[in-house]
Amino acid sequence: MVSVINTVDTSHEDMIHDAQMDYYGTRLATCSSDRSVKIFDVRNGGQILIADLRGHEGPVWQVAWAHPMYGNILASCSYDRKVIIWKEENGTWEKTHEHTGHDSSVNSVCWAPHDYGLILACGSSDGAISLLTYTGEGQWEVKKINNAHTIGCNAVSWAPAVVPGSLIDQPSGQKPNYIKKFASGGCDNLIKLWKEEEDGQWKEEQKLEAHSDWVRDDGRVFIWTCDDTSGNTWSPKLLHKFSDVVWHVSWSITANILAVSGGDNKVTLWKESVDGQWVCISDVNKGQGSVSASVTEGQQNEQ
Amino acid sequence: MKLKEVDRTAMQAWSPAQNHPIYLATGTSAQQLDATFSTSASLEIFELDLSDPSLDMKSCATFSSSHRYHKLIWGPHKMDSKGNVSGVLIAGGENGNIILYDPSEIIAGDKEVVIAQNDKHTGPVRALDVNIFQTNLVASGANESEIYIWDLNNFATPMTPGAKTQPPEDISCIAWNRQVQHILASASPSGRATVWDLRKNEPIIKVSDHSNRMHCSGLAWHPDVATQMVLASEDDRLPVVQMWDLRFASSPLRVLENHARGILAIAWSMADPELLLSCGKDAKILCSNPNTGEVLYELPTNTQWCFDVQWCPRNPAVLSAASFDGRISVYSIMGGSADGLRQKQVDKLSSSFGNLDPFGTGQPLPPLQIPQQTAQHNIVLPLKKPPKWIRRPVGASFSFGGKLVTFENVRIQAQQGAEQQQQQHHVFISQVVTEKEFLSRSDQLQQVVQSQGFVSYCQKKIDASQTDFEKNVWSFLKVNFEDDSRGKYLELLGYRKEDLGKKIALALNKVDGPDVALKDSDQVAQSDGEESPAAEEQLLGECIKEGKQVSEFLPSAGGTFNISISGDIDGLITQALLTGNFESAVDLCLHDNRMADAIILAIAGGQELLAQTQKKYFAKSQSKITRLITAVVMKNWKEIVESCDLKNWREALAAVLTYAKPDEFSALCDLLGTRLESEGDSLLQTQACLCYICAGNVEKLVACWTKAQDGSSPLSLQDLIEKVVILRKAVQLTQAMDTNTVGVLLAEKMSQYANLLAAQGSIAAALAFLPENTNQPNIVQLRDRLCRAQGQPVPGQESPKIPYERQQLPKGRPGPMAGHSQMPRVPTQQYYPHGENPPPPGFIMHGNVNPNAATAQLPTSPGHMHTQVPPYQQPQRPQNGWNDPPALNRVPKKKMPENFMPPVPITSPIMNPLGDPQSQMLPQQPSAPVPLSSQASFPQPHLAGGQTFHGIQQPLGQAGMPPSFSKPNIEGAPGAPIGNTIQHVQSLPTEKITKKPIPDEHLILKTTFEDLIQRCLSSATDPQTKRKLDDASKRLEFLYDKLREQTLSPTIISGLHNIARSIESRNYSEGLTIHTHIVSTSNFSETSAFMPVLKVVLTQANKLGV
C-alpha cells in the first residue's frame, strides 16, 4: 500500500528537480529550476518552511543531505556549474562552501558513507567527477577525475561502507580498513566503478557496459550484481525496459524495493520475487498506489 | 566543445535514433571541391565512440562512389526494434538521381550496396526528407518545381503532392510536418514556401513575406506545434530566420536577426523545441530559441563557413557541422573543458614532429585553431539555458521509515497564446507498506508481550506449526512459562514421570516384600521387559546388580556365622574388620575383586573411605555403563554432556534436566547444544536450538537458528524474532541471571528486525523491539534515528514519568528552527579530518545514551507504558524496557528455593536413596542395616549384558527419584512460584479508589470504545475473538487512566477523537488509517499501552462489520 501521508506545497516557481528527506525522515529538501533550494520541516504531517536558500544562478538539479553526525549539512548542484554546501548554524541555514571546479552543469551530488568522513562526489556534464573532502577549518580538499565520462556524467552514487571480507562492522576502536568506492553513470552509456587507491588517488576499477544510450535515456533499468569475492565480475539483470527515459532510481533503506521514476511521469516500485525475478509491485500516481500481493504471497508460500 | 573531427568536404547524415552505436555517414559534396581538387567521390561511415577521448573518428567503411551528393539523409526504414538493420541511406545526386544505399552492406564492406536508384528528377536533388510517421515515405525536391513523394517499398513510381508551382523554380528545402503526417512544406531560393496537403493533393498555403530577399536555405517545422515553421535566408541583406504560424500567415510571427551574413543551414532539435541551430556566412554557428529569439549558445568554430549542420538524433547534446575548409566537426553543446582533447592533439603533433616541439609552447598548429583567446580559455561554457533533456521532471526516492518522496511536473504545452497554467509544485510523501503479514505478526507478538499471554501464544504457535521441529521449539518455549518446567522438558523429551512411576509400581506389586523383591528381581524384570524401556533396565539393573550382591551377603548375616580367621583373604578381611581397620578390609576386598563387599565396608568406614572406594571402584571397573554411573555418583554431568554419543542427546539433556543444579544447568545445556551444533549432522544441528532454549541462551539460539534457516525474508526473520522475544521473556521469568546483555548477533538481528519494521512505517513498533540495555553501536544509532524520525514531543509536553525516554534523547533541543543540538558549532572539533580514525560508533557525541546507567538510577521499571503503577510494586531488579511484564499482572517470578538440592545421586547404593531430599543433606550414618527396607522399592530387572554407555534411554534421575518428586514445588526444575502474587492482588483495590474521573470532554472516547467492544462481543462467535476483545476492554483502562491524568498530548487526543468519530460513522478503515497516523507520528511511550489494543478492536470491528 502506498498512501500519501503528507502533500507538501513547495511554492517553487518552476519545475522541481529533486526532493530528498534527511536521515531521520523529518526534513524535506527540494530544489527547482527557479534556482532555489528549500527545506521544510515535515514532521507529523506538517510543512514548515525552514529555509529558502538562494545562491545558485541556474536550475538546481539535486540536493543531498550529509549524515547528521556532521551537523545539518545539505549539498546542492546546479546547471550554473556550481556545487554549494549549505549548513545550519544556530538555527539559520547559510552557504558554507561553494565549489566552482566544473566547466559545465553539475548533475549529481552524493555524500560518501559517514564512516569515511565528510566527502562529496559531484558528477558534471563536463565529463569530470570531483571529490570534495572536508579537512577541517572550513577547508575542502578537491580531487578531480577528468574525462570520467565523455560529454558528461549524469549520476554518482557511493557504495556502502563495507570492510572487505566482513559483513559485520568491525569492533569499535579498531580502525576499519574501508575501501572507498562509488559508481557513476554517463552519456557514454557506461557505468564506471571507482576505487580509492592506497595513495589516495581515484582509479577506474570497472566499466559496466549494457546500456545502449546515456545511462538514463535508454529506458532500461538493470540490476547489477557482483557475486565473486574479488568484486570484479558484475553481471546485469534487466529489470525492465521502459518506453521512456528513466530519470531516477532509488533503493529503499532496507534495499529490497526499488523505486523507478520515468519520463512518462510514472513512478513504479519493484521487488525481487522468490524466484529472483524483478516484479513491479506498484504504480504510484501522485503518491498513491496499491501494492500487488503476488510477491509477498510468494514469500508466504515459501514458509 | 568539439568532440571529434573528420577532414572531409562532404554532406553528412547521422544514423537514426534507434541505431546503436551512433554512426555518421558522409558523402562527397557536389558543390564544394576539397583542397585536393579531386573529382573522386566516396560514401563513408564513421562511428561516434565517445569513450575514446581523441578527436579522431573511427572510420567503419568507405565506399567509392561514382556520384557526388547534394543531400544525404539516413532513414530508419525497415529498421527493426533492436536497431540491427541499419535503415536506408538516401542520397540526392547531381543529375536528378536519387540513390538508396544499404548502410549495413557498406559497413560490411560489400560491393553491392545500392538498393535502388531513380533519376526521374531534373537537375540536382537538393532537398530530401523522410516522413517520421511513415518512414517508407521520402519527399524530394529538385529543379523546375519538381517534388516527388517516394515509397521505399515501391520505389519505381513516385507520386506528386499536387500540381507544380508556377513559375518553375528550384526546390531548395523540403520538410514533412512533425505532427501531422500528410502535411509537407517546400521552399525555394525565391523566398516562397509552399505547404502541401497530400490528402487533398494540392498546396494549401503559400508563405512569403514579399520582400524578395528571403532566399530560403533552410526550412524546418516546429517539433511540437503543428502550425509553426521556420525559414532561413541566405541573402546577406536579410540574414534572418523567420518563424511562421500558418494560422497567421500574413507576416512572420518572429524574426531572428542573429547572423551578420546569410544563413546556410538550420536544424531544429527534436529533443528540445527551444533549440534551433543555424550556421551562416558570418562563420558562426548559433543555437537560439526560436520561440523567443534569444541566442543561447555560440559554438566555438573557426573562421570558415559551415554549409551544413545536423543534430544527432540519438544523443541530443551532439551536433555536427560541415565547413568549407573541408572538415566535419562534432560538437557537444554541454560545454566542458577541451584540455584533454587539446593535449591529445599536441601529443599527436609532437609525435609527428619527433620530439621537437615546433611551437615551443605545445600549442597546436595555428591554422587549425582559432587564435589565442580560445587557447587561453579552454573552458567552453554550456548553453545559457539547460536543454530540456537534462531537466528532470519526475523523481521518487525512499527515505527512512518506509517513506517515499515523489514529485512530478505536468508538462505544459508551449502553446502560443494558451493561458499560462498555474502549475502546482507539490511533493508527495507517502508511506509504503509491502509486508502486511509480517506487520500483523509483529503486531501480535507485541500484544502478547504486553498482555503476557505467553502460554496461549506458544500454544497457538504449536497448533499452527507445520513441522515437528517448529512444534518442538514452541513446546520448549512454552514450558518456560509453566510450573515444573524441568519436568515438562523431560516429558517433551519422552520421559513422563507418571508413566515411569506406574511402571515401577506395577513391577513392585508383583512381589510380596522387599526381600523377595530383591531375590526375584531378575524374573520380575524379565517379565516386565516389554513395558520397561531398555534404559530403565540398564539403570535399574545396575542397582540391582549391586543389590543382589548385597542380598547374597545378607542371609549369611542372619544365620549362624562363622568368623574365619584363616590366612586366606577372607581370613585377613575378618581380621581387619575385627580390629576396626576398615581401610585395610576394603583394600583387601578390592584386591580380591569383591566390589560389593568393599563398598559395603566402605560405607561403614565413613564418608572419606566411601569416596576413596568409589574412585577405586570406578578406576577398576571397565563396564561401558560405568561412565554413566560415575557421572551420576560423582555428579559430574559435564562428563556426560561432553562425551555422550550425540545420538543420545535427548538422554543427556534429560539427565541434565533431572540432576543439574541451577547454577550449572544452563552451562550444561549450552555445552550440549554447542556439541550438537558443531559435531552433529544438519538434523542434530537444529536440535541444538532446543538445548539453547533450555539453557535460556538467546544469543546462541540466534546463531544456531540463523545457521539453519534462511533469514533473508522478513517473514523468516519474524519467525526467529518471535522465538527470541519469547525466550528472553522466559529467561527473565525463570532465571535469576542477568538478561540484559545483548549479544552482537542478537543485536544485529534485532536491529535488522527493527529496520524492517521501520521500513514498513512501524517506527513505534521498531523502537519497541529494539533492545534497550545495550551499547551496540548499530542499535544505539538506530534508536536515535527512530526516536527522531518519530518526531520528538515538544519539551513541555513530555511526561515527567518517562525519564528514561527523555534521557535517551539528545538533550536540549531548543525547537524546530534550531535543529539538532549536536550541530557542530566549532567545526574543527566536529569534523573528522581526512585520514584520521573515523568517529567512534554511536555518533551521538554528547554521551547521552547510556541505557544501563539510565535504568539503574530508576527505582521503577522504564515503565513508560505503565506509569500509573506505583513504584512499590516494582521488584528491584534491572529491567529490560517495555517488553518487561507490566507489574500489575506480572507472572510470578520463578525462583529457586534457596535450599534447593537436586535429587541426590546415589552416593551409597544402599543408604537412604529415597525419601525426602532434605534428609539427604544429613550426614550419612555409617550404619548398614537400616536402609534395607527402602532399598526394596527398587524394581530390579536383571542386568542386561553388553549395555553401552550411550545407550541411556531412560533418565538417570528416575532411579533415585522418590515419588514425591513429581510435586511441582520441590521438583528439580529451576524455580517455584514465590508468594508475591498476593501482594499485587492486594494492592490493586487501593489503586482504583484513587482514580480521578475522566474529563467530560473525553468521556465520549471511553463510551465509544466500550460500546464498540460490546457490539463486537455480541456479534463475535469464536471464543478466541471474544477473549481478545475482553482483553482489549481491560487494556483500554490504560487509555482511560491516561485520560484521567490528562497526560496525553493534544495531537493524540484529537486523533483519538477522530477515531471515535469514525467509529460513530462505522468507517473503521478510516479509523485504522487515523490510528496508523497517530502511532507513526506520536511518541511511542505515550501510546504503546493502548494503541495496539485499539487497533485490535478496530480491526475486529471492521472484520465483524458491526
Side-chain angles (χ1 to χ4, degrees):
Chain A
M1 197 56 199
V2 183
S3 39
V4 174
I5 52 175
N6 196 345
T7 302
V8 181
D9 183 356
T10 61
S11 302
H12 275 300
E13 288 154 22
D14 204 340
M15 217 185 239
I16 299 173
H17 296 300
D18 199 14
Q20 296 287 335
M21 293 270 233
D22 71 350
Y23 179 80
Y24 299 108
T26 56
R27 292 179 177 204
L28 176 74
T30 61
C31 61
S32 155
S33 266
D34 69 4
R35 304 177 173 199
S36 71
V37 172
K38 295 188 183 190
I39 299 171
F40 298 88
D41 183 333
V42 292
R43 281 180 301 172
N44 303 325
Q47 53 171 98
I48 304 159
L49 181 68
I50 297 176
D52 184 347
L53 305 174
R54 307 278 168 161
H56 281 296
E57 296 158 68
V60 190
W61 300 136
Q62 269 191 15
V63 285
W65 289 94
H67 193 278
M69 70 184 284
Y70 301 105
N72 289 333
I73 295 175
L74 186 75
S76 61
C77 62
S78 159
Y79 190 71
D80 67 2
R81 296 171 282 140
K82 287 192 288 199
V83 173
I84 297 182
I85 295 168
W86 312 87
K87 189 170 160 198
E88 192 187 49
E89 292 275 16
N90 303 322
T92 314
W93 282 89
E94 276 161 10
K95 186 194 290 186
T96 178
H97 183 67
E98 190 172 288
H99 172 51
T100 51
H102 284 285
D103 302 325
S104 185
S105 171
V106 185
N107 302 319
S108 184
V109 281
C110 185
W111 291 102
H114 65 87
D115 319 65
Y116 305 161
L118 204 51
I119 307 178
L120 184 72
C122 324
S124 164
S125 283
D126 65 5
I129 296 170
S130 55
L131 291 130
L132 310 184
T133 305
Y134 189 76
T135 54
E137 312 271 342
Q139 297 302 306
W140 294 81
E141 179 198 87
V142 181
K143 281 179 193 162
K144 199 162 171 188
I145 306 171
N146 281 313
N147 267 310
H149 293 276
T150 311
I151 73 163
C153 170
N154 296 326
V156 284
S157 175
W158 287 86
V162 175
V163 180
S166 100
L167 288 175
I168 339 168
D169 285 349
Q170 294 205 331
S172 53
Q174 197 180 327
K175 187 185 174 184
N177 185 25
Y178 290 119
I179 291 185
K180 299 173 197 162
K181 279 188 188 182
F182 70 89
S184 61
C187 300
D188 53 4
N189 312 343
L190 294 175
I191 294 162
K192 291 185 177 180
L193 303 184
W194 306 87
K195 180 178 152 187
E196 194 187 44
E197 298 286 284
E198 277 171 16
D199 60 1
Q201 292 308 303
W202 286 89
K203 199 185 148 199
E204 182 183 315
E205 189 193 34
Q206 287 279 308
K207 209 182 261 183
L208 309 183
E209 293 180 69
H211 292 276
S212 58
D213 208 331
W214 296 13
V215 176
R216 186 201 89 181
D217 268 16
D218 76 347
R220 270 181 262 240
V221 174
F222 290 100
I223 308 288
W224 294 85
T225 48
C226 174
D227 290 329
D228 72 327
T229 45
S230 58
N232 293 327
T233 320
W234 289 83
S235 43
K237 175 165 194 140
L238 184 64
L239 175 128
H240 189 65
K241 166 101 171 75
F242 293 86
S243 57
D244 207 332
V245 177
V246 173
W247 286 97
H248 193 56
V249 285
S250 169
W251 288 107
S252 67
I253 302 288
T254 45
N256 55 350
I257 305 173
L258 185 74
V260 178
S261 34
D264 46 4
N265 267 333
K266 263 196 179 161
V267 175
T268 45
L269 301 184
W270 298 77
K271 194 163 186 268
E272 195 176 15
S273 68
V274 190
D275 55 350
Q277 294 301 312
W278 284 88
V279 184
C280 180
I281 55 165
S282 186
D283 260 307
V284 184
N285 185 20
K286 293 200 184 300
Q288 290 289 142
S290 60
V291 168
S292 76
S294 60
V295 175
T296 331
E297 273 167 13
Q299 277 176 346
Q300 208 170 326
N301 296 337
E302 187 192 26
Q303 293 301 308
Chain B
M1 186 182 89
K2 189 186 270 192
L3 301 171
K4 303 282 175 192
E5 58 185 26
V6 186
D7 291 333
R8 298 286 184 282
T9 309
M11 305 306 294
Q12 47 179 348
W14 288 100
S15 56
Q18 298 92 318
N19 211 64
H20 173 71
I22 298 172
Y23 293 114
L24 182 68
T26 62
T28 308
S29 169
Q31 282 171 309
Q32 290 83 27
L33 286 177
D34 68 10
T36 62
F37 296 96
S38 154
T39 50
S40 69
S42 64
L43 203 54
E44 275 182 278
I45 294 180
F46 296 90
E47 185 185 335
L48 180 69
D49 180 8
L50 291 172
S51 57
D52 170 15
S54 81
L55 273 176
D56 303 320
M57 268 189 114
K58 195 169 90 188
S59 172
C60 294
T62 307
F63 168 72
S64 291
S65 162
S66 49
H67 307 281
R68 288 170 163 256
Y69 307 105
H70 280 274
K71 183 75 180 174
L72 189 65
I73 59 173
W74 192 332
H77 178 59
K78 279 194 172 163
M79 190 171 263
D80 65 14
S81 57
K82 287 178 198 157
N84 281 339
V85 182
S86 311
V88 184
L89 262 176
I90 306 155
E94 291 167 289
N95 308 312
N97 48 351
I98 291 177
I99 312 146
L100 307 185
Y101 295 98
D102 185 339
S104 58
E105 300 286 341
I106 298 176
I107 290 169
D110 226 306
K111 290 266 188 299
E112 295 301 314
V113 297
V114 176
I115 301 167
Q117 186 168 350
N118 196 312
D119 49 5
K120 201 167 168 64
H121 269 300
T122 312
V125 179
R126 294 193 183 85
L128 285 170
D129 195 29
V130 174
N131 187 307
I132 60 168
F133 301 97
Q134 285 177 269
T135 55
N136 58 317
L137 293 183
V138 177
S140 65
N143 293 350
E144 306 294 329
S145 300
E146 273 177 8
I147 297 175
Y148 290 123
I149 312 293
W150 306 85
D151 182 351
L152 296 183
N153 296 322
N154 180 16
F155 193 60
T157 47
M159 304 161 280
T160 59
K164 283 184 183 178
T165 51
Q166 293 298 333
E169 53 190 349
D170 297 348
I171 304 291
S172 55
C173 328
I174 200 156
W176 292 97
N177 190 284
R178 300 298 192 186
Q179 297 289 319
V180 185
Q181 58 175 326
H182 54 87
I183 301 291
L184 180 75
S186 63
S188 61
S190 68
R192 267 191 295 277
T194 308
V195 179
W196 308 81
D197 183 340
L198 296 195
R199 284 191 312 195
K200 294 178 181 160
N201 215 28
E202 62 180 37
I204 48 169
I205 195 165
K206 288 186 180 168
V207 176
S208 168
D209 71 344
H210 310 292
S211 69
N212 290 326
R213 288 178 183 173
M214 274 298 287
H215 289 192
C216 286
S217 55
L219 162 67
W221 286 99
H222 195 296
D224 287 347
V225 185
T227 56
Q228 293 185 359
M229 62 182 204
V230 292
L231 294 170
S233 166
E234 66 177 323
D235 194 319
D236 287 346
R237 295 167 298 169
L238 193 67
V240 297
V241 173
Q242 291 178 339
M243 174 117 162
W244 291 85
D245 191 315
L246 302 185
R247 293 168 294 181
F248 318 99
S250 53
S251 62
L253 197 64
R254 191 171 296 107
V255 179
L256 281 62
E257 298 171 277
N258 300 321
H259 282 279
R261 296 182 65 190
I263 296 163
L264 296 174
I266 54 170
W268 205 332
S269 168
M270 287 296 284
D272 185 349
E274 297 189 341
L275 302 180
L276 178 75
L277 286 172
S278 55
C279 56
K281 292 187 266 188
D282 55 1
K284 281 182 181 171
I285 302 177
L286 299 179
C287 182
S288 13
N289 181 352
N291 304 307
T292 63
E294 185 191 5
V295 176
L296 300 169
Y297 195 54
E298 182 175 341
L299 267 91
T301 53
N302 54 33
T303 48
Q304 284 294 328
W305 305 355
C306 287
F307 58 86
D308 190 17
V309 62
Q310 301 278 343
W311 288 105
C312 170
R314 188 176 182 88
N315 192 330
V318 170
L319 63 101
S320 63
S323 57
F324 281 115
D325 62 358
R327 175 170 299 155
I328 291 173
S329 306
V330 177
Y331 299 92
S332 156
I333 54 161
M334 291 307 292
S337 164
D339 285 346
L341 300 175
R342 207 169 285 277
Q343 193 53 46
K344 286 267 170 193
Q345 213 166 28
V346 171
D347 290 349
K348 210 161 78 179
L349 274 171
S350 304
S351 71
S352 301
F353 283 83
N355 282 330
L356 203 114
D357 183 355
F359 310 109
T361 56
Q363 290 300 321
L365 286 168
L368 300 179
Q369 291 295 324
I370 320 173
Q372 291 307 312
Q373 71 266 26
T374 41
Q376 280 159 4
H377 306 284
N378 285 339
I379 296 158
V380 181
L381 296 186
L383 281 177
K384 266 190 211 165
K385 139 202 126 67
K388 185 181 163 188
W389 61 83
I390 71 167
R391 298 200 299 263
R392 180 159 78 159
V394 61
S397 47
F398 276 105
S399 92
F400 188 63
K403 294 198 184 92
L404 183 70
V405 182
T406 56
F407 59 89
E408 50 199 67
N409 291 278
V410 183
R411 279 175 210 175
I412 319 172
Q413 288 291 320
Q415 201 85 34
Q416 190 64 36
E419 55 184 274
Q420 273 293 330
Q421 183 196 346
Q422 191 61 46
Q423 247 192 306
Q424 298 284 321
H425 297 287
H426 284 165
V427 171
F428 303 102
I429 302 171
S430 312
Q431 185 70 56
V432 179
V433 177
T434 54
E435 305 287 344
K436 286 211 178 102
E437 195 198 345
F438 170 75
L439 285 182
S440 82
R441 281 176 59 183
S442 169
D443 206 37
Q444 276 171 24
L445 180 60
Q446 217 181 330
Q447 281 173 31
V448 166
V449 169
Q450 284 178 16
S451 67
Q452 303 280 304
F454 300 119
V455 175
S456 64
Y457 182 71
C458 293
Q459 189 57 49
K460 254 186 266 167
K461 286 285 173 187
I462 293 169
D463 297 342
S465 294
Q466 284 170 2
T467 65
D468 284 347
F469 175 65
E470 184 81 5
K471 201 170 200 155
N472 277 340
V473 168
W474 281 113
S475 305
F476 269 68
L477 285 169
K478 183 183 162 207
V479 164
N480 281 305
F481 300 99
E482 294 172 325
D483 292 337
D484 184 17
S485 59
R486 282 204 191 183
K488 293 227 169 93
Y489 278 138
L490 283 172
E491 280 177 25
L492 288 172
L493 288 168
Y495 305 109
R496 293 187 68 88
K497 281 178 191 163
E498 291 82 357
D499 289 357
L500 186 61
K502 273 182 213 154
K503 282 173 193 167
I504 293 172
L506 196 65
L508 292 178
N509 285 341
K510 288 183 181 173
V511 297
D512 300 315
D515 291 340
V516 187
L518 287 171
K519 282 181 183 162
D520 296 344
S521 58
D522 282 12
Q523 289 81 4
V524 172
Q526 272 169 341
S527 67
D528 204 25
E530 299 87 355
E531 281 181 65
S532 301
E536 191 180 352
E537 289 176 26
Q538 288 164 19
L539 291 167
L540 300 177
E542 187 65 18
C543 305
I544 290 155
K545 185 185 169 191
E546 288 159 22
K548 219 158 77 178
Q549 287 164 349
V550 173
S551 68
E552 275 162 8
F553 168 75
L554 284 171
S556 67
T560 55
F561 92 90
N562 171 26
I563 302 172
S564 162
I565 46 165
S566 57
D568 61 0
I569 298 274
D570 275 357
L572 288 173
I573 293 172
T574 311
Q575 288 173 36
L577 283 176
L578 289 175
T579 56
N581 190 346
F582 285 98
E583 209 177 318
S584 303
V586 166
D587 280 348
L588 283 166
C589 292
L590 284 174
H591 181 74
D592 200 29
N593 215 17
R594 291 156 74 167
M595 294 299 169
D597 287 357
I599 288 166
I600 295 292
L601 286 172
I603 292 165
Q607 281 294 313
E608 203 177 314
L609 181 57
L610 179 60
Q612 275 176 22
T613 313
Q614 282 173 356
K615 253 186 221 158
K616 283 179 187 164
Y617 167 73
F618 291 132
K620 239 179 143 163
S621 173
Q622 294 303 314
S623 150
K624 283 186 180 172
I625 199 171
T626 314
R627 289 171 76 187
L628 175 56
I629 299 171
T630 313
V632 173
V633 172
M634 309 300 259
K635 300 176 214 166
N636 188 0
W637 299 108
K638 213 175 158 195
E639 164 80 7
I640 290 198
V641 164
E642 270 180 347
S643 55
C644 72
D645 189 315
L646 283 176
K647 282 183 199 129
N648 293 113
W649 70 272
R650 276 174 196 278
E651 287 70 32
L653 186 56
V656 169
L657 282 166
T658 308
Y659 287 108
K661 284 189 216 147
D663 57 341
E664 59 183 16
F665 174 75
S666 293
L668 289 170
C669 292
D670 251 12
L671 196 60
L672 186 59
T674 312
R675 274 195 68 204
L676 282 170
E677 211 182 326
S678 58
E679 295 172 29
D681 56 29
S682 57
L683 197 70
L684 289 176
Q685 275 177 10
T686 54
Q687 306 293 357
C689 292
L690 298 180
C691 295
Y692 294 139
I693 290 173
C694 291
N697 192 331
V698 179
E699 181 74 3
K700 284 208 168 171
L701 175 67
V702 173
C704 183
W705 184 272
T706 317
K707 217 191 280 179
Q709 314 278 328
D710 161 47
S712 57
S713 85
L715 285 179
S716 62
L717 185 61
Q718 173 72 29
D719 279 343
L720 171 64
I721 297 299
E722 280 169 0
K723 288 163 188 107
V724 165
V725 167
I726 297 296
L727 183 58
R728 274 171 67 83
K729 299 313 295 181
V731 170
Q732 278 169 21
L733 291 173
T734 57
Q735 292 180 19
M737 60 188 282
D738 178 25
T739 57
N740 292 327
T741 47
V742 176
V744 181
L745 202 57
L746 176 63
E748 192 197 310
K749 286 287 162 193
M750 284 310 253
S751 61
Q752 203 181 330
Y753 186 64
N755 262 319
L756 267 176
L757 281 169
Q760 297 293 317
S762 300
I763 288 178
L767 258 178
F769 278 105
L770 211 54
E772 296 204 350
N773 299 58
T774 173
N775 282 322
Q776 300 277 349
N778 50 351
I779 293 195
V780 174
Q781 288 174 18
L782 183 58
R783 174 176 309 284
D784 167 77
R785 197 172 188 181
L786 287 166
C787 284
R788 286 168 181 273
Q790 213 168 27
Q792 294 157 60
V794 183
Q797 275 185 353
E798 205 170 274
S799 163
K801 288 178 182 167
I802 31 176
Y804 181 80
E805 189 87 2
R806 198 173 47 202
Q807 271 183 308
Q808 174 83 349
L809 296 174
K811 57 195 167 190
R813 186 162 182 208
M817 286 300 286
H820 305 156
S821 60
Q822 77 271 33
M823 176 75 195
R825 301 285 197 274
V826 186
T828 44
Q829 289 174 347
Q830 305 294 336
Y831 291 105
Y832 293 87
H834 183 69
E836 270 188 28
N837 273 344
F843 52 87
I844 312 127
M845 283 168 231
H846 35 276
N848 55 323
V849 183
N850 188 347
N852 286 318
T855 35
Q857 291 162 6
L858 301 173
T860 62
S861 79
H864 36 272
M865 286 163 48
H866 308 290
T867 47
Q868 76 277 31
V869 178
Y872 61 81
Q873 288 190 345
Q874 306 281 336
Q876 301 273 332
R877 64 184 178 96
Q879 299 275 315
N880 198 29
W882 69 272
N883 42 9
D884 259 329
L888 267 179
N889 47 0
R890 178 182 302 281
V891 171
K893 179 172 151 59
K894 290 188 184 175
K895 198 177 139 194
M896 295 297 289
E898 275 169 25
N899 56 355
F900 168 78
M901 279 288 289
V904 172
I906 315 160
T907 47
S908 86
I910 52 170
M911 281 273 312
N912 209 18
L914 304 177
D916 190 336
Q918 301 292 332
S919 70
Q920 294 177 4
M921 298 178 71
L922 300 171
Q924 303 286 332
Q925 298 298 319
S927 57
V930 186
L932 278 178
S933 58
S934 55
Q935 170 78 19
S937 63
F938 284 89
Q940 311 222 328
H942 80 284
L943 176 61
Q947 296 104 326
T948 57
F949 175 77
H950 58 255
I952 331 158
Q953 284 147 20
Q954 181 70 18
L956 296 162
Q958 303 310 74
M961 182 80 71
S964 59
F965 260 58
S966 54
K967 281 194 201 163
N969 55 347
I970 51 164
E971 48 90 21
I978 53 166
N980 57 357
T981 354
I982 302 156
Q983 191 196 344
H984 292 183
V985 177
Q986 282 171 341
S987 64
L988 270 174
T990 44
E991 157 114 17
K992 281 209 168 141
I993 293 162
T994 59
K995 273 182 181 171
K996 287 183 245 167
I998 297 178
D1000 287 345
E1001 66 269 29
H1002 302 321
L1003 211 50
I1004 178 87
L1005 293 176
K1006 185 175 179 188
T1007 52
T1008 311
F1009 295 153
E1010 281 180 350
D1011 176 54
L1012 181 64
I1013 291 173
Q1014 285 312 316
R1015 273 190 280 152
C1016 289
L1017 273 172
S1018 57
S1019 60
T1021 46
D1022 63 313
Q1024 201 189 337
T1025 312
K1026 280 185 191 279
R1027 224 173 23 243
K1028 237 190 236 175
L1029 289 164
D1030 274 327
D1031 180 55
S1033 163
K1034 280 177 209 134
R1035 299 189 59 76
L1036 276 176
E1037 279 298 329
F1038 287 120
L1039 168 63
Y1040 309 144
D1041 287 346
K1042 289 207 179 239
L1043 290 175
R1044 286 185 185 98
E1045 292 167 22
Q1046 306 196 338
T1047 51
L1048 290 172
S1049 71
T1051 39
I1052 295 175
I1053 293 275
S1054 75
L1056 288 169
H1057 278 285
N1058 286 337
I1059 292 181
R1061 271 193 289 278
S1062 63
I1063 290 173
E1064 293 294 354
S1065 59
R1066 318 227 152 165
N1067 190 347
Y1068 303 120
S1069 56
E1070 184 194 274
L1072 280 166
T1073 314
I1074 302 166
H1075 181 280
T1076 312
H1077 182 73
I1078 299 177
V1079 171
S1080 60
T1081 55
S1082 66
N1083 183 351
F1084 168 72
S1085 62
E1086 274 189 277
T1087 58
S1088 58
F1090 55 85
M1091 283 311 271
V1093 189
L1094 197 51
K1095 186 174 180 184
V1096 171
V1097 175
L1098 285 168
T1099 315
Q1100 286 299 338
N1102 200 16
K1103 205 154 95 189
L1104 297 165
V1106 293

